[in-house]
Amino acid sequence: MGRWCSWAVLPSPPLKPRPKKESPKKSVTTADGTRARILNAFSERAKRAGIRSVVMGELATELGMSMATLYGRFSSKEELVAAMVDQWCAELATHDALIEDEAVPIGERFRIWADAWSVRIVAYSPAFFTDLSRDYPDLAAHLETDLAGRRAKGEAMLRPHLRPDLDPAAAFALLDLIYVHAPDPRLGDKVGVARRDVIRTALGIWARGSLK
């Protein structure tokens, strides 16, 4: 967004310039920007190769900052992982909102959500989830609790649209299997298909077979 600037003519005689003071708002903005840079760089590395692959010293070097600056924003690697998990939960909430517009047919809503979810989940390597469960079990449990709540909400929304000849428990159990196994890169590698396409295909088959 553009910013408009107005220029005023200084009175005569010129005012004696006063020392510039950094405004608290600017300091906060700078701090927030540095924190966001650290989190984004950490997240990209952790998603790609796992949390254990991220060495804090290497991260600071990549960002062109000292370790003191890095740890001044995040006191530990665990705090970074916690921020990453919270960020992901917030992003998932935006995806859930895609299926809440009842004016849109349920099949189309589910397709839009599936496309968005497939893009998001393939950004995470299996190593990320392995490291999260092994090294940060409390954060893994927090993420699983959040996901379980979203699954329950999604099931409640989809249930009225299931085909009447289907058993709801079986239909949603199958959907859970897709959530768990379709993102596995070994499946796509085996058949020569990209992870995202495997996920979209599996969810599309489920939707066509399960929804009215």
Side-chain angles (χ1 to χ4, degrees):
M1 214 165 70
R3 179 179 295 175
W4 290 97
C5 297
S6 60
W7 299 92
V9 178
L10 291 175
S12 181
L15 295 175
K16 183 179 180 181
R18 288 181 288 180
K20 292 183 179 179
K21 294 182 179 180
E22 187 176 1
S23 67
K25 183 176 181 180
K26 183 177 180 181
S27 298
V28 171
T29 301
T30 302
D32 288 347
T34 302
R35 183 178 172 88
R37 283 183 62 221
I38 295 170
L39 179 57
N40 289 339
F42 177 86
S43 297
E44 287 305 312
R45 284 184 169 219
K47 289 176 186 178
R48 184 171 60 250
I51 299 168
R52 287 190 174 188
S53 73
V54 185
V55 178
M56 299 298 275
E58 293 177 356
L59 184 65
T61 300
E62 176 188 326
L63 292 167
M65 63 179 60
S66 66
M67 292 292 287
T69 299
L70 193 157
Y71 281 113
R73 301 299 185 273
F74 293 93
S75 61
S76 66
K77 191 173 185 178
E78 182 173 3
E79 187 177 340
L80 265 166
V81 176
M84 186 178 175
V85 169
D86 287 343
Q87 185 179 63
W88 195 33
C89 289
E91 291 168 353
L92 288 174
T94 65
H95 294 164
D96 291 351
L98 295 173
I99 60 172
E100 293 179 356
D101 185 358
E102 296 185 1
V104 179
I106 189 63
E108 180 64 11
R109 280 187 275 161
F110 187 80
R111 184 194 65 76
I112 294 172
W113 175 87
D115 282 349
W117 184 72
S118 66
V119 170
R120 181 64 54 190
I121 195 66
V122 299
Y124 291 81
S125 68
F128 169 81
F129 295 104
T130 298
D131 292 349
L132 183 67
S133 298
R134 180 171 49 197
D135 299 336
Y136 308 96
D138 290 344
L139 293 176
H142 168 65
L143 178 60
E144 179 52 38
T145 298
D146 183 87
L147 293 175
R150 297 186 190 286
R151 284 197 297 269
K153 181 180 178 181
E155 288 182 12
M157 194 174 300
L158 290 168
R159 188 177 295 271
H161 302 281
L162 288 177
R163 283 172 35 191
D165 58 322
L166 296 182
D167 180 275
F172 289 125
L174 179 58
L175 186 57
D176 279 341
L177 287 174
I178 293 173
Y179 290 148
V180 172
H181 295 290
D184 190 332
R186 293 173 297 181
L187 180 58
D189 292 343
K190 185 176 181 179
V191 295
V193 178
R195 288 174 70 196
R196 181 186 177 190
D197 291 335
V198 171
I199 297 167
R200 292 173 62 191
T201 300
L203 290 172
I205 292 172
W206 183 88
R208 287 191 293 274
S210 302
L211 300 177
K212 299 173 186 175

